[in-house]
Amino acid sequence: MDISKYLPLSQRRHDDESTVTSDRRVEIAAVVDRARDLLASRPESDPLARRFVADARLAAAGEASPAPVDLLALADQVRTGRKRKVSELARAVRALLSLADALGSSADLPSLTLGSVALYASGMAPFERRAVIAGHTVKAIDADWQFGSGPELRGTAEGITRFLLALSDTPPRAPHA
């Protein structure tokens, strides 16, 4: 057993963290790409595409025209544009989950993206939702992430994220004894 990983930070083994960043451009661009995939069989002028962009707040200021939305170009613009925060990722994920619901489809997001958004939302969600998870470890049963401390509450990664983003009223639950 490698006990060093439990010691204070100054005593820990140093891992390569050169790829760790707070910039969420790549994840947001992937969310836009997924929206494009979901809308692939629909006309370019589909109002759902405009609603996704508006809900994700990815349109440039004053760009609320009824023109078709080019999600491929938008994904490239996000990927190469300014740095993006986790709050922006949370809005994009919420917009994608809403789009998937409207289309009766699956959002099919990476578990780490859902985990990042769930962790962010756990501190920003409405009080009632934060109260549900307060004093608990929230664990995704289908992903390799958890956060918090205390008795376990479990749910799917998407289910936990949906609950914390106020898209579902089904909270994570205690495991059955």
Side-chain angles (χ1 to χ4, degrees), residues 12 14 20 51 73 75-76 80 85 93 95 97 107 109 124 131 140 157 170-173:
R12 289 180 70 187
H14 294 285
V20 175
R51 189 171 93 199
D76 287 340
T80 60
K85 300 176 185 177
V93 165
L97 291 170
L109 286 164
M124 304 305 288
T170 305
R173 303 206 185 272

Side-chain angles (χ1 to χ4, degrees), residues 115-126 129-131 133-134 138 147-148 160 164-165:
S116 296
V117 170
L119 178 59
Y120 167 78
S122 71
M124 304 305 288
R129 291 173 189 274
R130 286 182 287 134
I133 64 167
V138 178
F147 57 85
I160 292 166
L164 292 171
L165 292 175

Side-chain angles (χ1 to χ4, degrees), residues 33-120:
D33 286 336
R34 181 64 185 136
R36 189 183 84 239
D37 292 345
L38 289 174
L39 292 164
S41 64
R42 303 179 73 89
E44 284 187 9
S45 60
D46 193 311
L48 288 176
R50 285 193 303 280
R51 189 171 93 199
F52 165 76
V53 172
D55 289 351
R57 294 190 215 161
L58 292 172
E63 197 179 294
S65 71
V69 175
D70 184 350
L71 293 175
L72 179 61
L74 180 58
D76 287 340
Q77 176 187 346
V78 168
R79 205 173 274 112
T80 60
R82 66 174 173 76
K83 288 185 177 184
R84 304 284 179 142
K85 300 176 185 177
V86 70
S87 60
E88 295 170 277
L89 175 61
R91 280 194 304 268
V93 165
R94 188 177 200 290
L96 182 67
L97 291 170
S98 295
L99 174 65
D101 290 347
L103 294 170
S105 187
S106 170
D108 196 28
L109 286 164
S111 62
L112 288 179
T113 298
L114 291 169
S116 296
V117 170
L119 178 59
Y120 167 78

